[in-house]
Amino acid sequence: MFPTVREVLGLDPVRHGGPRVVAAEAHLDRPVRWVHVAEVPDIASLLGGGELVLTTGIGLPADDAGLRAFIGDLADVGVAGLVVELGRRYDSCVPRVMAAAAERHGLPLVELRRPTPFVRITEAVHALIVDAQLTELRATEEIHQRFTELSVEGAEPAEVVQQAATLAGCPVVLENLSRQVLAYDSAGDSAELLLDGWEQHSRRIQPAGRTAYDPDAGWLVTTVGARGQDWGRLLLRWPAPGVAAEAADRPPTRLTILVERAASTLALGRLIRRDAEGLERQIHRTLLTALLDHARPVDEVALRARALGVPLERRHLVGVVVRPRTDDPAAEPGTEAAQARLRDLAEAVSQALREAKLSGLASALDEHAVGALLTLRGAAEEERALSAFAAALHRLRGDADPAGSGRRGLIVAAGTGVAAPREARRSLIEARQIADAARRDPRDMPVFRLPHVGLAGLLHLLREEPRLQTFVERELGALLAYDAKHPREQLLGTLRAYLDHGRNKSAAATAAHLSRPAFYERLFRIGRILDVNLDAVETCLSLHVALLALDAVRDK
């Protein structure tokens, strides 16, 4: 911090001159960045702002208009104050017009009533300024050293923000691009006052540039991000509580350095965590794929998993598969949108495992599903672990079916627990089959297990079984062949409506948008094509099962 005009007036060489403030005493907290001796009226053009101007007045204009212009010019360039030594030009006091102009412009005007060597004043003030610059340099070195340590330690965002607030002595807030607070430290101020209505307040803070100060809002702001991908803003409130407004026309350079170093640490930490998580997830996927595809010996998979901190031996293993209940039409398989959707789901599954304090392998299995192999200490933990995992996952995702069904948007399916890594494949495959089958289940279950899948689910699990496919062809093959030759009729839909409505012909005709005579005629033709009696309960049951099996076979 540079010394203020008030602090300069307290220095011994200045006090020796008997200083008296004659104008703008309320502005004595302006910082003094330099001291300049001037005896010419047009000195303002040589100044850059923040100077304390010393003069005897011998070169100042003699007329009132000239004095007003002199004071106005100094104020316009941002001079910190004007000190006039009496005795050479002005005997007992400065002209009233000069004092009035200084008061009007808010420019501190000070008389020195005794002769004082200006060189002693400049030496004393410049010594303070050099000390301030050295202090600033030491603070900058501390900032670099501390945030380098935080980067190496992989500090969490909250710790980085806390350290920034501690070093600055000011409130600091980290927000995302939606103006939601990710972390904050009020630096001893009221957190409620700091965060109340934050989003609306933050949107009014619009400084120009990547790092800039908004003087109207009183916040120093820098963008947080790396590799061309910005994800947030770091904001430091300046002036801090207790700092006078005159001394806070702009933040010290060290604070700009501080917020930029803190932002760099946050961006680097996010990249490191993302890269580490990405590499870890790749290893998880390699191990899960190896278990499913027999790509590596099970003993080798178990060895690598143990080295990763996920022991598989002497553990109760449960395969889990998570997938959306409905496909997103905007995320076609293989597209960037589909990959992003699957990546977000994989991150949510990993986070849910951590929140539920569970150990396991987790990664994407295909373009639709994420798999996990939970490693538990015993079978007694299975239900509790699955419940905790599902609850954490649904909470993280704010889970709701985008189709508006009122059911959960995610299906969590678990296979039968096994006691050895060699059996883990069976649990994972079973979980995948249950997840696929559960998409047709109207119930809303936190975790689907094998007993939940019902007839439709059972048929879905058996959809690749040749005997099931043979059964479908035997029961419905003739009708499918007829529809292929007569695509405008589609008698299979008529049969489905009839069976779905419990053989109620009137209700089925209404659902099919057909008159009852037309519907009855279609049923007669179906019976003739299939050579069956559609009034027989056993026949209709067999045909209904065949239709469900056909749906399962087609839904691969």
Side-chain angles (χ1 to χ4, degrees), residues 26-84:
H27 298 275
L28 292 180
D29 288 315
R30 286 182 175 178
V32 177
R33 294 182 174 85
W34 202 247
V35 176
H36 196 90
V37 179
E39 299 294 353
V40 292
D42 58 349
I43 189 62
S45 61
L46 304 178
L47 303 177
E51 296 90 353
L52 180 66
V53 178
L54 307 181
T55 183
T56 62
I58 59 175
L60 297 186
D63 60 302
D64 291 351
L67 287 176
R68 292 191 191 97
F70 173 70
I71 295 296
D73 291 343
L74 292 182
D76 288 344
V77 297
V79 166
L82 175 63
V83 177
V84 181

Side-chain angles (χ1 to χ4, degrees), residues 503-525:
R503 297 186 299 123
N504 185 322
K505 296 178 183 178
S506 297
T510 301
H513 304 290
L514 293 170
S515 65
R516 281 189 289 181
F519 191 78
Y520 295 164
E521 191 276 331
R522 282 189 169 216
L523 286 181
F524 176 77
R525 272 190 290 153

Side-chain angles (χ1 to χ4, degrees), residues 21-232:
V21 180
V22 295
E25 187 172 3
H27 298 275
L28 292 180
D29 288 315
R30 286 182 175 178
V32 177
R33 294 182 174 85
W34 202 247
V35 176
H36 196 90
V37 179
E39 299 294 353
V40 292
D42 58 349
I43 189 62
S45 61
L46 304 178
L47 303 177
E51 296 90 353
L52 180 66
V53 178
L54 307 181
T55 183
T56 62
I58 59 175
L60 297 186
D63 60 302
D64 291 351
L67 287 176
R68 292 191 191 97
F70 173 70
I71 295 296
D73 291 343
L74 292 182
D76 288 344
V77 297
V79 166
L82 175 63
V83 177
V84 181
E85 182 189 80
L86 304 179
R88 298 193 183 187
R89 174 66 184 277
Y90 307 117
D91 292 332
S92 59
C93 63
V94 299
R96 290 184 179 180
V97 65
M98 179 185 290
E103 185 67 36
R104 185 169 61 255
H105 286 283
L107 176 66
L109 177 58
V110 180
E111 297 174 342
L112 293 181
R113 290 168 290 178
R114 289 192 294 269
T116 303
F118 283 171
V119 65
R120 294 182 181 176
I121 296 177
T122 57
E123 285 177 347
V125 175
H126 292 166
L128 284 179
I129 292 172
V130 170
D131 285 344
Q133 291 172 336
L134 288 174
T135 301
E136 193 98 342
L137 180 60
R138 295 189 193 99
T140 301
E141 290 177 350
E142 182 183 1
I143 288 168
H144 284 295
Q145 179 180 356
R146 186 60 192 129
F147 284 110
T148 298
E149 293 172 355
L150 292 174
S151 297
V152 172
E153 294 168 359
E156 292 295 323
E159 186 176 354
V160 176
V161 169
Q162 180 185 23
Q163 189 61 231
T166 300
L167 292 174
C170 308
V172 177
V173 177
L174 173 65
E175 65 177 15
N176 61 18
L177 298 180
S178 297
R179 305 299 197 268
Q180 296 170 328
V181 176
L182 303 178
Y184 74 93
D185 191 299
S186 62
D189 201 8
S190 168
E192 290 77 13
L193 292 177
L194 177 68
L195 301 180
D196 184 39
W198 175 259
E199 180 180 347
Q200 292 75 18
H201 177 62
S202 173
R203 292 188 185 281
R204 292 193 293 268
I205 304 172
Q206 295 292 342
R210 192 168 180 85
T211 300
Y213 179 62
D214 186 336
D216 295 331
W219 287 88
L220 176 61
V221 185
T222 189
T223 304
V224 183
R227 295 180 181 175
Q229 295 182 345
D230 298 333
W231 53 267

Side-chain angles (χ1 to χ4, degrees), residues 177-488:
L177 298 180
S178 297
R179 305 299 197 268
Q180 296 170 328
V181 176
L182 303 178
Y184 74 93
D185 191 299
S186 62
D189 201 8
S190 168
E192 290 77 13
L193 292 177
L194 177 68
L195 301 180
D196 184 39
W198 175 259
E199 180 180 347
Q200 292 75 18
H201 177 62
S202 173
R203 292 188 185 281
R204 292 193 293 268
I205 304 172
Q206 295 292 342
R210 192 168 180 85
T211 300
Y213 179 62
D214 186 336
D216 295 331
W219 287 88
L220 176 61
V221 185
T222 189
T223 304
V224 183
R227 295 180 181 175
Q229 295 182 345
D230 298 333
W231 53 267
R233 299 197 309 174
L234 188 66
L235 302 94
L236 182 150
R237 193 174 77 187
W238 180 261
V243 176
E246 286 292 335
D249 57 340
R250 56 184 177 183
T253 303
R254 67 179 178 84
L255 292 187
T256 301
I257 294 173
L258 186 148
V259 295
E260 290 181 338
R261 284 292 286 116
S264 299
T265 302
L266 290 165
L268 179 60
R270 186 180 177 111
L271 287 175
I272 291 173
R273 283 190 293 273
R274 180 181 295 173
D275 290 345
E277 289 176 0
L279 178 59
E280 183 178 346
R281 194 168 292 121
Q282 290 175 22
I283 299 174
H284 281 217
R285 181 164 191 167
T286 298
L287 297 179
L288 283 178
T289 302
L291 286 174
L292 287 169
D293 300 341
H294 297 298
R296 298 175 184 271
V298 175
D299 291 342
E300 180 183 341
V301 173
L303 180 63
R304 293 190 62 182
R306 185 169 68 250
L308 194 63
V310 185
L312 302 182
E313 302 96 335
R314 295 186 294 278
R315 289 292 191 274
H316 185 73
L317 308 176
V318 183
V320 176
V321 169
V322 180
R323 64 162 301 154
R325 184 179 290 275
T326 57
D327 293 330
D328 185 353
E332 292 293 329
T335 64
E336 185 175 345
Q339 293 173 359
R341 186 189 193 203
L342 188 63
R343 185 168 55 251
D344 290 344
L345 181 57
E347 290 178 357
V349 168
S350 298
Q351 179 65 22
L353 286 175
R354 289 193 291 269
E355 287 201 9
K357 296 180 172 54
L358 297 173
S359 174
L361 301 173
S363 80
L365 296 180
D366 51 39
E367 293 182 329
H368 302 285
V370 174
L373 182 63
L374 307 187
T375 63
L376 310 176
R377 295 187 179 276
E381 297 182 6
E382 184 174 312
E383 291 302 323
R384 181 203 62 79
L386 289 173
S387 297
F389 167 74
L393 180 62
H394 292 312
R395 183 174 59 254
L396 286 169
R397 297 280 294 191
D399 203 13
D401 186 2
S405 66
R407 296 176 293 173
R408 290 184 173 92
L410 289 181
I411 291 172
V412 180
T416 303
V418 297
R422 296 184 184 280
E423 300 174 318
R425 178 176 184 271
R426 173 166 57 84
S427 185
L428 284 167
I429 290 177
E430 184 179 298
R432 175 186 271 176
Q433 292 172 337
I434 294 171
D436 290 343
R439 298 181 70 200
R440 294 185 172 276
D441 196 307
R443 293 172 296 175
D444 189 17
M445 307 288 297
V447 181
F448 282 91
R449 307 299 297 270
L450 191 57
H452 299 146
V453 297
L455 177 59
L458 176 63
L459 294 173
H460 188 90
L461 297 179
L462 299 174
R463 66 189 184 279
E464 296 183 2
E465 171 62 45
R467 286 175 292 183
L468 181 65
Q469 297 170 11
T470 300
F471 169 73
V472 172
E473 288 300 315
R474 185 176 67 244
E475 294 292 315
L476 300 174
L479 189 60
L480 293 171
Y482 179 88
D483 280 353
K485 292 180 181 179
H486 305 85
R488 305 179 85 178

